[in-house]
């Protein structure tokens, strides 16, 4: 028998929310925001990860296939925010990358859903990725755009979305899905942090003179979107694209980073053909050693990937509170404080 989706959440102080991936970049911000709103927060974390945010009850697990730990984690929880995933990696050493991604992102999500429903969880928020739709576009994607993922990570996230939709529909579970573009902000890692370091250290940055556009998402806006979908009944079992609401070219992004860091970026204009050739050479080198320039990196420098975030505003009433400029400024403050701390050690 299907349950009816519950009404708006109330009495946060009596509500326990489980957050998977609680010690990750986004997870720490989500946990801190939930605690500030008065929720009891339980974090599902792996043994090798650090301690979660103060105030978070940690449940250690060997992974999403650990049903005993999962069962303990969801007991008494009224909601689950599922952030944990096997994330996209530039140089995957797995013999079968798709199987490795599916094991965590698809099968692990299915197990978490099954145990959540059995425990009486009312709400389940799933964070996905724009990579479930593809790698590049010429026109901004909407929720109605047919997804065409091109790598194992994107394929696994799209398959996990299907598991969430079907399982939630069968159980009458409130289970919105959020597709995020690149998320940046204090505590970030990956490509955006490398770009900040390149600008800060004056490294040459190859730039192709193309009019590309990229959607980005400040971590504070991502957290607000998660909580809005958690608390708003209208989010139901909908899928939403989220961004800061302003798309920028690669050149505009690098120049904006330079402004907030007080540094002038060393932009090196390179013909697209030459950059592609360098990327192909980098692909060969990357097979045996880390190398910064590959065809995947070139594609991200030159291609567009934009989303239309208006549907979440219409359905949920969510609008990003932090502008792109302010998000970069806050990120720069965090970055510079860390650089200062390293120099004083």
């Amino acid at each position: 028998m299907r349950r009816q989706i519950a009404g708006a959440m109330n009495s946060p102080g009596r509500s326990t929310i489980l957050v998977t991936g609680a010690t990750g970049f986004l997870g720490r911000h989500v946990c801190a925001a939930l605690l500030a709103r008065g929720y009891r927060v339980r974090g599902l974390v792996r043994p090798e990860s650090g301690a979660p945010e103060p105030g978070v009850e940690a449940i250690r697990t060997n992974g999403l296939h650990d049903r005993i730990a999962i069962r303990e984690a969801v007991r008494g929880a009224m909601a689950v925010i599922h952030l944990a995933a096997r994330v996209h990696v530039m140089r995957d050493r797995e013999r079968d990358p798709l199987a490795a991604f599916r094991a965590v992102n698809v099968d692990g999500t299915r197990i978490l859903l099954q145990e959540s429903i059995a425990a009486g969880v009312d709400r389940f928020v799933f964070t996905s990725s724009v990579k479930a739709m593809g790698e590049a576009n010429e026109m901004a994607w909407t929720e109605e755009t047919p997804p065409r993922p091109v790598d194992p990570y994107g394929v696994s996230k799209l398959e996990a979305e299907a598991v969430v939709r079907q399982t939630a529909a069968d159980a009458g579970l409130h289970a919105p899905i959020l597709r995020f573009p690149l998320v940046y902000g204090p505590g970030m890692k990956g490509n955006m942090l490398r770009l900040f370091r390149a600008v800060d250290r004056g490294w040459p940055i190859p730039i192709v003179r193309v009019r590309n556009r990229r959607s980005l998402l400040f971590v504070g806006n991502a957290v607000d979107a998660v909580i809005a979908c958690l608390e708003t009944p209208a989010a139901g079992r909908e899928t939403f694209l989220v961004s800061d609401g302003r798309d920028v070219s690669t050149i505009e992004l690098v120049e904006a980073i330079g402004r907030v860091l007080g540094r002038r970026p060393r932009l090196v204009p390179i013909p697209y053909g030459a950059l592609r050739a360098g990327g192909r050479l980098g692909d060969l080198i990357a097979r045996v050693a880390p190398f910064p320039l590959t065809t995947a990196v070139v594609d991200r420098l030159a291609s567009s990937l934009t989303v239309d975030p208006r549907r979440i505003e219409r359905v949920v009433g969510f609008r990003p509170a932090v502008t792109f400029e302010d998000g970069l400024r806050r990120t720069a403050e965090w970055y510079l404080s860390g650089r200062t701390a390293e120099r004083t050690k």
Side-chain angles (χ1 to χ4, degrees):
M1 180 182 298
R2 292 187 179 183
R3 296 177 293 176
Q4 296 296 315
I5 293 177
M9 292 177 64
N10 50 36
S11 302
R14 294 195 294 274
S15 300
T16 296
I17 298 178
L18 171 67
V19 178
T20 71
T23 57
F25 164 45
L26 180 57
R28 289 189 178 279
H29 286 272
V30 168
C31 288
L34 291 171
L35 289 167
R37 292 174 75 86
Y39 290 107
R40 296 173 182 171
V41 182
R42 189 177 293 160
L44 192 67
V45 298
R46 296 185 66 87
E48 65 271 17
S49 64
E53 292 296 293
V56 174
E57 175 193 359
I59 303 293
R60 298 286 173 178
T61 176
N62 292 318
L64 293 174
H65 296 83
D66 185 352
R67 281 190 180 267
I68 294 176
I70 298 294
R71 200 163 293 161
E72 177 187 358
V74 296
R75 185 181 298 118
M78 63 82 57
V80 172
I81 297 175
H82 185 26
L83 308 176
R86 186 175 194 266
V87 298
H88 177 75
V89 292
M90 294 299 297
R91 293 174 291 275
D92 202 326
R93 303 303 183 188
E94 290 285 344
R95 298 180 65 179
D96 187 347
L98 181 55
F101 278 112
R102 280 174 168 160
V104 177
N105 298 345
V106 182
D107 298 338
T109 297
R110 183 180 290 109
I111 290 171
L112 180 62
L113 270 166
Q114 292 170 348
E115 295 298 333
S116 297
I117 292 167
V121 167
D122 289 322
R123 298 181 179 227
F124 188 101
V125 179
F126 180 63
T127 57
S128 186
S129 166
V130 293
K131 287 183 175 290
M133 303 185 72
E135 284 286 347
N137 58 27
E138 295 181 359
M139 296 183 62
W141 285 327
T142 71
E143 290 79 2
E144 285 70 42
T145 303
R148 295 185 177 88
V150 300
D151 67 0
Y153 171 70
V155 169
S156 71
K157 294 300 281 186
L158 184 63
E159 292 177 353
E161 289 183 11
V163 169
V164 172
R165 287 191 196 93
Q166 186 59 60
T167 306
D170 291 343
L173 184 68
H174 176 99
I177 296 168
L178 298 123
R179 289 174 177 162
F180 289 160
L182 187 151
V183 179
Y184 67 98
M188 66 185 182
K189 301 177 182 178
N191 290 332
M192 188 65 98
L193 179 57
R194 284 191 283 271
L195 194 53
F196 264 71
R197 286 174 176 162
V199 173
D200 180 42
R201 297 172 184 178
W203 294 342
I205 300 174
I207 291 294
V208 180
R209 295 293 180 181
V210 294
R211 296 181 179 179
N212 71 325
R213 311 299 292 173
R214 307 288 294 190
S215 292
L216 304 170
L217 181 61
F218 178 62
V219 67
N221 292 332
V223 170
D224 288 348
V226 166
I227 294 177
C229 286
L230 172 75
E231 296 181 337
T232 306
R237 291 183 284 275
E238 303 288 342
T239 299
F240 300 109
L241 291 162
V242 191
S243 80
D244 286 341
R246 178 186 165 188
D247 303 327
V248 295
S249 69
T250 302
I251 294 176
E252 288 172 336
L253 174 60
V254 173
E255 289 176 340
I257 292 173
R259 285 194 297 273
V260 295
L261 291 179
R263 304 279 289 181
R264 185 173 182 177
R266 290 184 62 191
L267 300 177
V268 182
I270 297 178
Y272 182 64
L275 197 60
R276 286 288 296 181
R280 287 192 292 271
L281 177 61
D283 289 340
L284 297 175
I285 299 173
R287 293 179 181 178
V288 295
F291 194 75
L293 186 65
T294 63
T295 53
V297 173
V298 171
D299 288 341
R300 276 191 290 276
L301 286 171
S303 64
S304 293
L305 197 165
T306 59
V307 302
D308 182 341
R310 290 177 293 180
R311 188 165 187 270
I312 192 171
E313 179 181 353
R314 293 195 304 268
V315 176
V316 178
F318 167 80
R319 295 186 66 181
V322 181
T323 64
F324 165 72
E325 292 81 3
D326 196 29
L328 274 190
R329 180 186 58 78
R330 297 185 192 187
T331 305
E333 290 173 354
W334 162 79
Y335 174 83
L336 293 172
S337 67
R339 187 184 65 178
T340 301
E342 288 179 0
R343 289 176 176 175
T344 57
K345 286 182 179 179

